[in-house]
Amino acid sequence: MGELHAAALRNDPRVAEGKRLLLAALAERQSLLQGIKPPQDALKRDYAEALKSFSDLRGGATFYPYLASGFGSGPFVELGDGSVKYDFITGIGVHYFGHGHPDLVEASLDAALDSTLMQGNLQQSARSHELFRLLVDGANRHGAKMRHCFLTSSGAMANENALKLIFQKRHPAVRILAFEGCFMGRSLALSQITDKAAYRQGLPANLQVDYLPFFDAKDPKGSTSRALAVLEKYLKRYPQNHAAMCFELVQGEGGYYPGHRDFFEALMRRLKQEGISIFVDEIQTFGRMPELFAFQHFGLDEYVDVVTLGKMTQACATLVREEYKPGPGLISQTFTASTGAIAAACVIVKSLIEEGYLGEKGKIQRLHHRMTDKLKDIAKRHPGLVEGPYGLGAMIAFTPLGGDAEKVKRFLILLFEKGVIAFSAGASPARARFLMPMGAVEEKHIDEVMALTEAALLAIAEEDKGGKGVSSS
């Protein structure tokens, strides 16, 4: 029997021993990093200078004074000043397995031995084939009919590819439907769909977008009727002119507002009658619900034509039904993703499916309830300090201090100083949000993060009363 050189290299005892030693060194060093730490005095000056230089080179300061050292342990990340913080925003959803997860490190070591560090449309490896199969099979777990998969290196590009496939399929229709408050990305095309004027200021208009009101949990039937009425208005005004409607099933950047199956189904059924494509953007929701995909969680498998995913998978993807198979040349790019990202994606997706994350009793729901119960307890003990919580699964938000944007920013900065990284979402009201490192977090971590969250909230509230506040050390 023949043997590939690739297999022989991977099975070489020296390679196995090298990986064992590296992983052992990682585990030993990570055992020393298991909690929050303040900055080291000896590193503060150089770190401040590096931050200043970095901000100048990038054309603006970062939201937080954050430059990682390159090392972390589970939910903890080390910064260049020697401080250690809880990472509960995970790069806005990228570091789903936390920092330095041994399975991902091992996958990256294996990928580093491949002949190419980057894969592209012209040259892909068996790793891409494995990921394609995992994603397509995962999408079809409950009856969806995804047939093809296209990898890319960013969520924005996955959405761009989705739009190209849809416009080609629905030609000559040129308009897009979307929800008010949606976020689709910041590329030239996607900035036209994202419902935030600041993201397209000074940019040329290149898409025609019509917006529908999103689901209102306080008025489910009324909001469904209103959305359908607005849809009918646009269908009448622009007959046969809409190619697709973009669905965020949980509005992410907009404030972690979940929709409802009945609301989505009513719209999707009407859209299907008009031959309008159903495009579900799962760049942020994939892998964070009790089901692998949010459309599966809401029971919408039969309606979805195109779905995108990314962030926590490292390599991003566009999945489509058979009839959306592109014509020659429509989908082609130099880089589809790095070999390391593709290897990591395979590990992550298999882990989600096989290791107890999914389902109503899975890890995602268990830790969701742990954190939301803690937030509800804070709200009960301190009326007016917290509203919510909101979101689903690993996507959790709350409205602090009445939702005033300036107060929310002060709260987030203070929380960062105390050792927890979160971020904002939404406007009017502004919210604070968490994206838990689900592959690394435990109940004890959530408990400590929530205690620090409460302390930061109380400190800001006290400051606003004219008091001295609580120390941020």
Side-chain angles (χ1 to χ4, degrees):
M1 294 178 64
E3 181 183 34
L4 294 172
H5 288 293
L9 177 61
R10 294 184 190 114
N11 294 327
D12 190 304
R14 293 169 296 180
V15 171
E17 178 64 7
K19 287 198 301 181
R20 187 190 69 77
L21 290 171
L22 285 168
L23 291 170
L26 173 69
E28 180 180 310
R29 183 57 54 177
Q30 286 181 324
S31 69
L32 305 176
L33 198 159
Q34 294 299 319
I36 294 170
K37 293 182 180 180
Q40 298 179 29
D41 290 337
L43 298 174
K44 286 182 178 179
R45 181 176 177 179
D46 287 346
Y47 186 67
E49 291 177 354
L51 280 169
K52 184 177 183 300
S53 174
F54 181 66
S55 296
D56 180 63
L57 289 168
R58 75 187 292 271
T62 56
F63 185 85
Y64 293 120
Y66 181 109
L67 279 176
S69 71
F71 184 74
S73 177
F76 300 105
V77 61
E78 180 186 65
L79 305 191
D81 61 359
S83 65
V84 178
K85 300 183 184 297
Y86 273 111
D87 184 2
F88 264 51
I89 194 61
T90 59
I92 313 188
V94 178
H95 316 306
Y96 191 72
F97 272 36
H99 295 269
H101 193 289
D103 291 348
L104 299 189
V105 172
E106 184 173 9
S108 298
L109 291 172
D110 288 338
L113 296 176
D114 276 20
S115 64
T116 56
L117 296 179
M118 294 292 292
Q119 295 187 33
N121 181 66
L122 187 63
Q123 294 176 306
Q124 300 183 60
S125 79
R127 294 182 187 277
S128 291
H129 182 204
E130 180 185 4
L131 182 55
F132 279 32
R133 178 52 58 198
L134 282 168
L135 293 176
V136 171
D137 287 351
N140 294 336
R141 281 156 60 92
H142 303 307
K145 297 180 180 179
M146 298 298 110
R147 180 70 178 86
H148 301 294
C149 175
F150 304 95
L151 288 186
T152 187
S153 54
S154 76
M157 195 64 220
N159 281 348
E160 289 274 354
N161 284 342
L163 289 174
K164 289 197 295 183
L165 291 160
I166 288 166
F167 279 126
Q168 186 176 78
K169 166 68 175 172
R170 298 301 183 191
H171 178 79
V174 295
R175 302 188 75 86
I176 291 291
L177 291 154
F179 287 118
E180 295 172 354
C182 75
F183 181 89
M184 292 291 293
R186 288 183 170 89
S187 69
L188 190 59
L190 296 175
S191 63
Q192 303 300 316
I193 304 176
T194 295
D195 190 19
K196 194 162 186 178
Y199 293 170
R200 53 180 176 270
Q201 185 175 357
L203 302 181
N206 55 13
L207 281 180
Q208 301 169 77
V209 186
D210 300 311
Y211 295 99
L212 277 60
F214 193 67
F215 177 73
D216 183 353
K218 296 178 181 179
D219 184 16
K221 291 184 178 179
S223 61
T224 302
S225 296
R226 288 190 292 273
L228 285 168
V230 174
L231 174 60
E232 293 298 336
K233 179 186 73 173
Y234 286 128
L235 293 177
K236 184 177 180 180
R237 181 176 294 176
Y238 306 109
Q240 304 301 310
N241 223 335
H242 291 95
M245 179 160 180
C246 305
F247 284 81
E248 264 188 305
L249 303 180
V250 179
Q251 290 200 321
E253 304 298 310
Y256 284 21
Y257 291 94
H260 189 277
R261 172 185 163 79
D262 294 345
F263 173 81
F264 293 132
E265 188 174 39
L267 290 172
M268 289 180 177
R269 189 183 300 117
R270 183 69 184 95
L271 292 163
K272 286 288 189 180
Q273 292 171 353
E274 294 293 322
I276 297 171
S277 298
I278 308 298
F279 169 17
V280 178
D281 173 357
E282 297 224 23
I283 302 301
Q284 191 161 165
T285 53
F286 175 82
R288 292 188 167 88
M289 302 291 109
E291 292 283 354
L292 191 62
F293 287 83
F295 75 77
Q296 295 169 335
H297 172 72
F298 288 105
L300 302 169
D301 305 70
E302 65 181 289
Y303 298 103
V304 178
D305 296 308
V306 178
V307 61
T308 54
L309 58 97
K311 285 189 179 288
M312 53 89 81
T313 47
Q314 313 301 303
C316 305
T318 308
L319 306 178
V320 299
R321 289 179 180 242
E322 174 64 34
E323 58 266 33
Y324 289 81
K325 180 179 178 181
L330 184 72
I331 304 294
S332 178
Q333 55 198 74
T334 304
F335 294 146
T336 50
S338 72
T339 303
I342 293 168
C346 290
V347 171
I348 291 166
V349 176
K350 283 192 285 189
S351 296
L352 285 171
I353 295 171
E354 298 172 1
E355 296 180 9
Y357 285 86
L358 306 178
E360 288 302 318
K361 296 183 179 180
K363 184 178 183 181
I364 292 171
Q365 282 297 83
R366 175 167 53 85
L367 295 186
H368 169 86
H369 291 305
R370 184 76 169 207
M371 179 171 276
T372 55
D373 285 348
K374 292 288 182 180
L375 286 167
K376 289 174 185 176
D377 181 59
I378 295 172
K380 182 178 180 180
R381 288 185 289 105
H382 304 289
L385 205 63
V386 168
E387 295 175 30
Y390 308 99
L392 291 172
M395 300 171 64
I396 298 173
F398 66 97
T399 303
L401 306 158
D404 177 79
E406 187 272 336
K407 290 181 182 180
V408 172
K409 183 175 181 179
R410 285 165 51 209
F411 157 69
L412 290 170
I413 294 296
L414 180 56
L415 187 62
F416 179 84
E417 293 171 357
K418 287 181 176 293
V420 178
I421 309 170
F423 200 49
S424 59
S428 301
R431 288 178 170 174
R433 58 172 158 161
F434 298 103
L435 283 165
M436 285 188 282
M438 194 59 67
V441 72
E442 300 173 13
E443 282 90 346
K444 64 180 180 180
H445 301 136
I446 292 174
D447 294 348
E448 185 173 8
V449 166
M450 288 293 95
L452 292 166
T453 297
E454 181 176 2
L457 288 166
L458 288 170
I460 299 299
E462 185 67 19
E463 286 177 7
D464 291 340
K465 290 180 182 177
K468 294 181 179 180
V470 177
S471 171
S472 62
S473 61

